[in-house]
Amino acid sequence: MTDRTLGGTLKLADDFEINRMGYGAMQLAGPHVFGPPRDRDEAIAVLREAVELGVDHIDTADFYGPYTVNDLIKEALYPYPDGLRIVTKVGARRGEDGSWIFRREPEDLKAQVHENLRRLGMEALDAVNLRVGAVEGPQDEPLSEMFGALAELQREGLIRHLGLSNVTDAQLTEVQAIAPVVTVQNLYNVARRQDDGMVDRCAAEGIAYAAFFPLGGFTPLQSAALDEVARLLGATPHQVALAWLLRRSPTTVLIPGTSSRAHLRENIAAAQLDLSADAMTQLDAIGR
Ligand SMILES: NC(=O)c1ccc[n+]([C@@H]2O[C@H](COP(=O)([O-])OP(=O)(O)OC[C@H]3O[C@@H](n4cnc5c(N)ncnc54)[C@H](OP(=O)(O)O)[C@@H]3O)[C@@H](O)[C@H]2O)c1
């Protein structure tokens, strides 16, 4: 399944090698990441086509829907093809009104792992991110107890690899004393560069940096520089934003989210765009 057209591969552990261009499944839930998808057949088709096009890592969580997105993944892709990695997250639940509720007590985190296993139909989860801070940004707080609970499940064989989401530099350092971290997932894109230091650190330590909101999330990226570079390349501004992320560091991985096959194809094709040094300079200025 590995293909250089998907941004090349990244080896994070002996049994964990992925194409850098992946897929983020959050957009498959209903509005505000709550309830069923607007178009169920299209959601299933998006997942199947992503894998057909060579995507070998899908980012998800039980709290998307809640449960809807993991159910769709299982329906579309189970039994899972060899080499497909499903990366899930724990640390939150949803209220009946769609609210997001932090649930990070060790026993609840363990329960969430078991729920993900059941929903996805897996005996061991490929990778689990401990999602810590809010989407707006991480907060410094100790993580050893929470991460320790997941490391325990890793030792029991229920989780293959561990990651973190919405975390600070200090938090990454803290938990590395407990177990290896193969991926960090924080908010980052060409216009939101507050996490530049973490991107560089992940590259130096061989950790995958999965940029969430690579296209701006609920606030789509808009910039004259993106438009200009896209026009010169005959590409779309979204493709340029993704190509910039791939070029930004050797260990960035992309999880653009979409509920449409047309956008999926466009996003995957972005891995083949060549950005010149001049284009990079022009794009770098957006987030400075
Ligand atoms: N750890 C965390 O706290 C956290 C938070 C947020 C997200 N995430 C993860 O990160 C992934 C990516 O984030 P995201 O999906 O929220 O944001 P995103 O990838 O930045 O943007 C998704 C939005 O862009 C649109 N879009 C996608 N491709 C497009 C294209 N080629 N042309 C035009 N519009 C396009 C989508 O609409 P359409 O559906 O119409 O294409 C959707 O509205 C999620 O799926 C999730 O797995 C993690």
Side-chain angles (χ1 to χ4, degrees):
M1 219 187 276
T2 296
D3 189 335
R4 293 217 63 84
T5 58
L6 285 120
T9 57
L10 200 56
K11 187 165 182 164
L12 300 167
D14 286 344
D15 63 342
F16 198 41
E17 183 167 343
I18 51 172
N19 292 317
R20 293 178 64 205
M21 175 62 79
Y23 171 69
M26 187 179 92
Q27 300 294 339
L28 298 182
H32 310 291
V33 200
F34 196 59
R38 286 187 192 88
D39 183 339
R40 199 166 190 288
D41 292 344
E42 182 68 8
I44 297 277
V46 165
L47 285 162
R48 290 187 177 149
E49 185 156 337
V51 172
E52 278 160 25
L53 293 174
V55 163
D56 65 1
H57 92 270
I58 296 178
D59 185 79
T60 184
D62 242 1
F63 42 79
Y64 295 158
Y67 313 122
T68 322
V69 171
N70 278 350
D71 286 345
L72 285 167
I73 289 174
K74 184 167 177 219
E75 181 178 340
L77 301 174
Y78 188 88
Y80 302 114
D82 281 348
L84 178 68
R85 309 289 182 220
I86 298 176
V87 180
T88 191
K89 292 181 274 303
V90 293
R93 289 185 181 274
R94 303 296 292 276
E96 281 179 12
D97 56 354
S99 53
W100 296 77
I101 304 165
F102 284 128
R103 288 311 303 266
R104 300 162 328 167
E105 308 78 10
E107 284 317 306
D108 203 297
L109 291 173
K110 288 183 177 179
Q112 291 172 51
V113 168
H114 284 281
E115 287 163 30
N116 273 277
L117 283 165
R118 244 189 340 269
R119 292 248 160 219
L120 291 166
M122 301 175 96
E123 287 178 3
L125 296 170
D126 297 316
V128 175
N129 284 323
L130 171 63
R131 180 179 176 274
V132 183
V135 168
E136 302 74 41
Q139 292 164 357
D140 252 323
E141 60 179 314
L143 299 189
S144 293
E145 218 189 325
M146 301 175 210
F147 196 77
L150 299 181
E152 221 175 286
L153 296 188
Q154 184 181 35
R155 286 193 296 275
E156 288 171 20
L158 297 181
I159 298 175
R160 295 207 171 90
H161 298 286
L162 293 171
L164 292 174
S165 179
N166 302 6
V167 286
T168 64
D169 216 40
Q171 287 171 326
L172 173 58
T173 306
E174 180 196 352
V175 306
Q176 282 175 319
I178 300 171
V181 172
V182 301
T183 176
V184 168
Q185 184 177 127
N186 279 0
L187 195 167
Y188 188 74
N189 60 47
V190 66
R192 299 282 298 272
R193 303 280 299 275
Q194 68 277 25
D195 217 27
D196 267 331
M198 182 68 94
V199 173
D200 292 335
R201 176 176 173 183
C202 286
E205 298 186 18
I207 296 171
Y209 184 96
F212 79 74
F213 291 164
L215 299 171
F218 300 109
T219 319
L221 291 173
Q222 284 185 323
S223 129
L226 274 179
D227 292 346
E228 170 66 8
V229 172
R231 194 181 54 77
L232 290 172
L233 289 171
T236 69
H238 294 90
Q239 289 179 312
V240 172
L242 295 175
W244 178 86
L245 269 174
L246 275 180
R247 174 97 192 254
R248 165 65 184 79
S249 143
T251 68
T252 44
V253 300
L254 271 56
I255 49 168
T258 181
S259 54
S260 104
R261 278 174 289 176
H263 287 167
L264 173 78
R265 289 172 203 138
E266 188 181 314
N267 296 345
I268 290 176
Q272 295 183 64
L273 275 190
D274 263 333
L275 293 181
S276 65
D278 279 354
M280 282 305 281
T281 307
Q282 210 177 335
L283 296 169
D284 277 340
I286 299 174
R288 291 256 160 77

